[in-house]
Every structure is written in C-alpha cells, then in structure tokens.
C-alpha cells in the first residue's frame, strides 16, 4: 500500500514537472517571436524573387520592403544635403537620386553574438567598402553624406560584431557614409560626449559631411528600415532596446544611437564636455535640443528595436555622482560648454579597411568638490 501511494505521488510530481516545462517552453517561444517577429518560411529562401546569394544567412527574408511606408511617422522628413552642387563630382551628378525607400531592405533581422567574428571575415563580406570604412552607392546619388561616430575604449570584441552587422545594413540603405572610431587613450575616466564632439570635428577634417550619427559600439539595430539619415528634427534611433524590455525607459531618453544634422549640432553648441563617467550626458543633450526650440523625432517602435551586446561596465566609467546637478543646469552651461570649448590632443589617425581610427587624449576630470 505504501509503495502504491509513493508511486502515485511520484507520478503526480512527474506530471507537474512536465506541465511546468511545457508552460516554460510556451513562454520562451512567445518571447522569441516577440523579439524577432520571424515567420519561418523555409521555402521562401529558395525562391529566386526573395533570395539572393548576396544576402547573409542571418537576415530574415520574410519581411517585404513594401510595408515600410506604414512605419514612417507623418512628421518624418529627410533633410536634403547642405553640400553645394559644385562639391558633387560630375559622375555623381549623372546618377539619379537614391530612393527614400531603398528597394533592397529586408526588414527584421536576426541578431546573434555567438558566432566567432573576425575583421578578416567582415572585410570579405563587404568588398565595396573602401579604406577608412567609407562607402558610396554606385547606382544612385545619396541625399546626405553621413559620418557615423563611435566613442570607444577597449571594445575590440564588440566592434567586430558592430561592423559585421552595420556595414551591410548601411549599404542596403543606400547611404554615403564613413565610420569613425574615436578611441580615448589612457585609463582615466571615460567621457562619451566629449569623444562625440571630437568625432564631429575630426570627421569634418576628412570630408564634407552634413549628417552625423552617434552610436554606442554595443548596440545593433534589429531592423534595416530604421534608416540612418538625418531628419528635420534631431533623431533618436535606439528607442526600444532589449535591456529595457523593448520600451523607451522614459520620455526624455536620448541615449544609445542618435543623429543630428550639422546645423542642428551647431545650434545646440554640440555636446557637453564635462560629463566624466557614466550617465547624464544624453539627458543634457535632450535638454539642449528642447531648450533650442527643437523636438526629438523617433522611428516607429516596431522598427526602432536594438540588441545590446552584454558586458560588464567598463573600468574607469563609473556612474558620475554629479550628473543630476549638471542636468538641472543645462540652460546655464550649454552656451559655454560644448563644441566651442572643446580641447583635446590628436595622437593618431589611422585608416583601416573597415573604419577610421582616431586616437586622442582628452585630459582628466576636475577634482570633485568636497562633500558637505
């Protein structure tokens, strides 16, 4: 009798465990489809109209480009190039303008970081990218010339994945672009916003850019319809990161990936140079934008999704305890702290096949005032 009762008890426990496993499996599948929104249509990969050998196997080919128009907000307008016609080569003048909705976009992408990645592999995948990480569409004339600025230190592993995903995305978006890695030398406190100011300055020494995209190296867009252009208002691209549950953490958030035209950047006096350590500078930038009568534009939440490469917080990038006080004083400080007060020492500029590396020394943070 005791053995019979014990057997029934074990049977019930096993059934309960199996039920829990089934529920867990269903929840994971729901989350998986919510993140990647994929339809597994095996046969579409072999359809000549949907598949090309030029597509990487990570791409989700099931999302048609024709749905893009429904994702554009009614107030979104691309800015025309500010470059005079005299700066455009005769060959480029003969080309038609690039379409606002490039025909080669594939939509949602499957982003993963488990596969081994090397710069040699990325270079083979992007033979049309020229020295310094530059690309110009061969079949149309881009509306803007875009500099992509990445603040950087000790993130070589992340950079390989960023280049692996972003170069193909940018080429499909028909963007005339150059990539600039702004490398802070030394082990003093990191200063993201100051590096972005340096990137703006150094990129303009290299080419006549009229649009600037500022991106963290650990953020990868999950949809190539999130076009890396500049708009008639400052643009916040990374509005739905996986680390925030694919939601905007708060209304004034402007971190991760953003874009400003040259005129917009100068209107806010660039970015603050006095935010040493982690946090606060993106809120200061948001304040500068609104205080100068502009509004932040954002893509539809369905295409503004990003995956972050997981990592521990960098050494010498601890949270800045003064950031909250500084954010409250943006109106006072933005006229004297920005691109007009930028100071740094340029150490070396190296043009690699996939990007331009700009190594700089930016100094040290001022001594913190004593407490009390």
């Amino acid at each position: 009798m005791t053995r019979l009762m014990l057997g029934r008890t074990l049977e019930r426990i096993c059934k309960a465990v199996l039920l829990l496993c089934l529920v867990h499996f269903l929840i994971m599948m729901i989350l998986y489809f919510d993140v990647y929104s994929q339809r597994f249509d095996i046969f579409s990969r072999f359809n000549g109209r949907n598949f090309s050998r030029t597509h990487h196997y990570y791409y989700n080919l099931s999302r048609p480009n024709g749905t893009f128009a429904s994702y554009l907000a009614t107030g979104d307008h691309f800015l025309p190039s500010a470059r005079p016609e005299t700066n455009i080569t005769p060959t480029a003048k003969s080309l038609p303008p690039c379409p606002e909705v490039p025909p080669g976009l594939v939509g949602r992408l499957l982003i993963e970081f488990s596969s081994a990645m090397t710069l040699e592999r990325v270079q083979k995948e992007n033979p049309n990218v020229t020295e310094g990480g530059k690309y110009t569409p061969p079949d149309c004339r881009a509306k803007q010339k875009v500099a992509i600025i990445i603040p950087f230190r000790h993130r070589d592993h992340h950079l390989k994945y960023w280049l692996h995903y972003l170069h193909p995305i940018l080429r499909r978006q028909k963007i005339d672009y150059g990539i600039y890695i702004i490398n802070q030398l030394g082990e003093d406190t990191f200063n993201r916003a100051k590096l972005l100011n340096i990137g703006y300055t150094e990129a303009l020494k290299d080419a006549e850019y009229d649009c600037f995209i500022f991106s963290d190296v650990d953020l990868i867009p999950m949809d190539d319809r999130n076009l890396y252009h500049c708009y008639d208002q400052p643009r916040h691209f990374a509005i739905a990161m996986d680390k925030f549950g694919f939601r905007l953490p708060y209304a004034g958030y402007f971190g991760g990936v953003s874009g400003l035209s040259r005129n917009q950047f100068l209107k806010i006096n660039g970015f603050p140079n006095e935010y040493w350590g982690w946090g606060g500078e993106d809120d200061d930038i948001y304040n500068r934008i609104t205080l100068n009568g502009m509004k932040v534009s954002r893509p539809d939440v369905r295409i503004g999704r990003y995956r972050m490469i997981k990592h521990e917080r960098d050494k010498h990038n601890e949270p800045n305890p003064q950031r909250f006080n500084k954010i409250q004083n943006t109106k006072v400080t933005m006229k004297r702290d920005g691109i007009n007060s930028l100071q740094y020492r340029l150490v070396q500029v190296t043009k690699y096949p996939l990007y331009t590396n700009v190594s700089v020394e930016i100094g040290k943070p001022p001594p913190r005032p004593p407490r009390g």
Side-chain angles (χ1 to χ4, degrees), residues 269 273-274 288 329 332-338 340-341:
N269 191 25
N273 298 307
E274 298 304 323
R288 290 174 181 238
N329 294 309
V332 177
T333 60
M334 67 179 182
K335 292 182 180 179
R336 59 175 172 81
D337 176 23
N340 64 351
S341 63

Side-chain angles (χ1 to χ4, degrees), residues 2-159:
T2 304
R3 290 183 178 179
L4 182 61
M5 292 179 64
L6 180 61
R8 288 178 178 175
T9 302
L10 289 174
E11 182 181 1
R12 290 171 181 170
I13 292 173
C14 290
K15 287 181 178 179
V17 171
L18 286 173
L19 181 61
L20 287 173
C21 289
L22 179 61
V23 171
H24 177 75
F25 175 77
L26 290 174
I27 292 173
M28 292 302 296
M29 290 301 294
I30 290 170
L31 291 174
Y32 181 85
F33 282 106
D34 179 62
V35 171
Y36 296 112
S37 298
Q38 293 195 94
R39 297 179 300 167
F40 288 95
D41 184 2
I42 296 174
F43 298 104
S44 68
R45 295 176 180 266
F46 300 96
N47 187 327
R49 292 173 296 178
N50 296 329
F51 182 75
S52 168
R53 290 183 181 180
T54 59
H55 284 104
H56 193 273
Y57 63 87
Y58 289 143
Y59 301 159
N60 176 6
L61 306 182
S62 64
R63 293 279 177 170
N65 180 61
T67 61
F68 176 77
S70 63
Y71 290 93
L72 283 176
T74 55
D76 284 347
H77 300 287
F78 299 142
L79 280 179
S81 175
R83 288 171 289 159
E85 289 290 326
T86 54
N87 291 350
I88 302 175
T89 63
T91 304
K93 284 184 179 180
S94 64
L95 294 173
C98 292
E100 288 194 0
V101 182
L105 300 181
V106 298
R108 286 282 176 87
L109 310 174
L110 175 58
I111 307 298
E112 61 88 28
F113 308 116
S114 59
S115 300
M117 191 58 57
T118 64
L119 290 177
E120 291 75 17
R121 171 181 167 180
V122 179
Q123 190 174 351
K124 289 179 180 178
E125 293 170 349
N126 300 277
N128 295 327
V129 174
T130 60
E131 186 181 53
K134 296 181 179 180
Y135 176 80
T136 300
D139 55 350
C140 63
R141 187 174 71 254
K143 291 181 173 63
Q144 302 170 1
K145 193 170 184 65
V146 181
I148 300 175
I149 313 296
I150 297 178
F152 187 87
R153 185 168 65 181
H154 306 324
R155 294 287 196 91
D156 299 271
H157 177 68
H158 294 172
L159 179 60

Side-chain angles (χ1 to χ4, degrees), residues 236 238-239 248-256 280-290 296 298 327:
H236 183 216
I239 67 168
L248 195 68
Y250 51 92
Y253 184 66
F254 197 68
E281 80 286 343
D282 48 352
D283 295 315
D284 191 295
I285 296 166
Y286 181 88
N287 289 344
R288 290 174 181 238
I289 290 169
T290 56
V296 171
R298 294 186 170 107
I327 293 168

Side-chain angles (χ1 to χ4, degrees), residues 149-151 162 192 214-220 255-257 308:
I149 313 296
I150 297 178
W162 192 95
R192 177 180 179 269
F214 305 96
S215 174
D216 290 344
V217 73
D218 56 2
L219 286 175
I220 312 295
V257 186
M308 174 177 280

Side-chain angles (χ1 to χ4, degrees), residues 165-204:
Y165 284 112
L166 265 294
H167 269 305
I169 289 174
L170 296 169
R171 289 191 289 110
R172 289 199 302 274
Q173 292 182 354
K174 300 290 185 183
I175 294 177
D176 183 349
Y177 68 88
I179 293 174
Y180 297 85
I181 307 300
I182 314 304
N183 181 31
Q184 178 177 335
L185 297 175
E187 298 300 328
D188 289 311
T189 308
F190 195 69
N191 191 323
R192 177 180 179 269
K194 189 171 185 178
L195 292 174
L196 297 179
N197 278 339
I198 295 170
Y200 169 89
T201 303
E202 292 297 324
L204 283 175

Side-chain angles (χ1 to χ4, degrees), residues 207-271:
E208 193 71 17
Y209 292 104
D210 42 35
C211 174
F212 300 84
I213 308 295
F214 305 96
S215 174
D216 290 344
V217 73
D218 56 2
L219 286 175
I220 312 295
M222 297 174 65
D223 196 310
D224 63 1
R225 293 169 294 185
N226 193 1
L227 300 180
Y228 276 31
H229 289 288
C230 284
Y231 297 75
D232 56 356
Q233 297 291 334
R235 189 74 162 182
H236 183 216
F237 295 94
I239 67 168
M241 299 182 199
D242 56 354
K243 78 166 186 174
F244 295 135
F246 296 106
R247 293 178 176 85
L248 195 68
Y250 51 92
Y253 184 66
F254 197 68
V257 186
S258 57
L260 292 89
S261 70
R262 188 171 179 176
N263 289 336
Q264 291 165 355
F265 187 87
L266 293 175
K267 189 173 183 178
I268 65 171
N269 191 25
F271 300 156

